[in-house]
Amino acid sequence: MTPKPPAFIVAFLCAVSSLNAAISVTGSTVGWNAVLYDDTDQNNTRGAADNVVGDANHPSFYTRFSDGEMGFRIRVAGGKNSGFDESAWVGVDLNYDGKIDLFVGAMGSSREVGIYHTGAGENISPSTTSVDTSKPYTTSNFATSFSFDAVSKSTDPMATDYNIEGANGKKATNYFVSFKVSFSELEKAVTSLGLPGVSLTKESPLRYLVAMGDDKRNSASPLVSLAPKTNGQNNNTGTTTTTPETWEESGALTSSYSSTGVVQVPEPSSAALLCLPLLLCWKRKRG
């Protein structure tokens, strides 16, 4: 009888294999990298699918790099039978200055996944940040690049709670919003920004911002604002609140991670900017 290889060798080979396989946006969280965060939620007045949730044992945000693709997964408080009709955004700070340089995102109603420019504002705080959906760097095939799946034993084998409550204090089945883009297209987008000394490799340190917004199809404007709403008003056309805090001051940016999920230490000149080590998913409010 042929002897079986040790378990640690099997685990290693499985890990290597997963790095070389195309990302399945419908697959389980196994192989995804949990991004550290702070479970302090912010005010949200819309539906559960716009309400990012998590706790110490259930990450709210994951990334994955595999086979030339970059994937993102966000846990939200609930969903609709009709699916996801909001938008999910991952902002990227490429040079640790507290300013969002570009967005990767998915818009459910518009059936669009892509890499997008920021709006014309400073993009350093909720009230100055927006996504310009009229000028995507590139878009991906929605059918194969997006998924909205209930959190379950199959999608999150390590989970012990599938119903983390959202802003309204009610428990409902949580959902994963998952999407992916071409890493080479992300590289091109970063290069086109012309930021001094900034290029993108899978080892490059990146800081993320996770936020939810309206879908552009639901607004006359191509700009998706990330400012908090009052009284459930539409992000793009309704009343918004103004906060003096920047993303840096509020702690809404993650620590520095490579595309492969490794925590990175920046150059000493930038280290002072990384004093906020945990992710605040800005638009989460638990009861």
Side-chain angles (χ1 to χ4, degrees):
M1 179 181 294
T2 303
K4 294 182 179 180
F8 75 90
I9 293 180
V10 174
F12 172 77
L13 292 175
C14 289
V16 171
S17 175
S18 68
L19 287 175
N20 295 321
I23 296 172
S24 170
V25 290
T26 61
S28 81
T29 53
V30 175
W32 289 74
N33 304 299
V35 176
L36 295 180
Y37 65 101
D38 185 318
D39 193 41
T40 302
D41 298 328
Q42 299 294 330
N43 186 46
N44 174 72
T45 56
R46 195 161 42 205
D50 187 52
N51 203 194
V52 183
V53 295
D55 59 29
N57 299 312
H58 301 87
S60 60
F61 178 46
Y62 302 80
T63 64
R64 184 172 183 180
F65 175 85
S66 182
D67 194 34
E69 297 177 330
M70 188 71 193
F72 303 92
R73 174 166 286 183
I74 303 168
R75 183 171 178 153
V76 296
K80 302 176 181 177
N81 292 332
S82 57
F84 182 70
D85 59 4
E86 308 288 349
S87 60
W89 302 104
V90 176
V92 184
D93 177 9
L94 295 160
N95 56 354
Y96 330 119
D97 62 356
K99 177 181 179 179
I100 304 304
D101 298 302
L102 57 77
F103 282 94
V104 181
M107 292 176 282
S109 293
S110 300
R111 296 182 61 80
E112 187 170 298
V113 172
I115 305 168
Y116 300 87
H117 291 265
T118 57
E122 292 180 282
N123 295 293
I124 61 171
S125 67
S127 59
T128 65
T129 303
S130 61
V131 188
D132 190 346
T133 61
S134 69
K135 299 185 297 182
Y137 291 100
T138 184
T139 56
S140 305
N141 184 307
F142 187 83
T144 58
S145 301
F146 175 84
S147 181
F148 187 59
D149 300 295
V151 176
S152 65
K153 196 65 177 177
S154 61
T155 58
D156 192 358
M158 301 301 292
T160 57
D161 188 348
Y162 308 125
N163 308 286
I164 297 175
E165 67 184 37
N168 59 10
K170 296 180 180 179
K171 282 183 172 288
T173 300
N174 297 161
Y175 276 72
F176 283 131
V177 180
S178 307
F179 49 97
K180 65 180 181 178
V181 295
S182 162
F183 191 76
S184 65
E185 293 298 330
L186 192 56
E187 288 178 300
K188 292 177 185 177
V190 170
T191 300
S192 72
L193 291 171
L195 297 174
V198 175
S199 60
L200 181 65
T201 70
K202 63 182 182 180
E203 287 82 26
S204 298
L206 307 171
R207 291 198 298 173
Y208 300 112
L209 167 76
V210 177
M212 312 298 285
D214 288 313
D215 189 293
K216 69 175 183 178
R217 180 175 292 180
N218 301 327
S219 169
S221 170
L223 292 177
V224 176
S225 171
L226 300 186
K229 301 181 300 300
T230 59
N231 302 322
Q233 295 286 339
N234 180 280
N235 267 354
N236 306 295
T237 59
T239 302
T240 60
T241 59
T242 300
T243 171
E245 285 192 325
T246 65
W247 298 125
E248 287 276 16
E249 292 167 342
S250 66
L253 293 168
T254 69
S255 292
S256 184
Y257 286 81
S258 71
S259 298
T260 54
V262 177
V263 178
Q264 298 281 45
V265 178
E267 295 297 322
S269 60
S270 300
L273 297 178
L274 294 182
C275 60
L276 299 170
L278 300 177
L279 171 64
L280 280 169
C281 284
W282 169 62
K283 291 197 66 181
R284 301 179 304 169
K285 178 66 178 178
R286 294 170 62 190

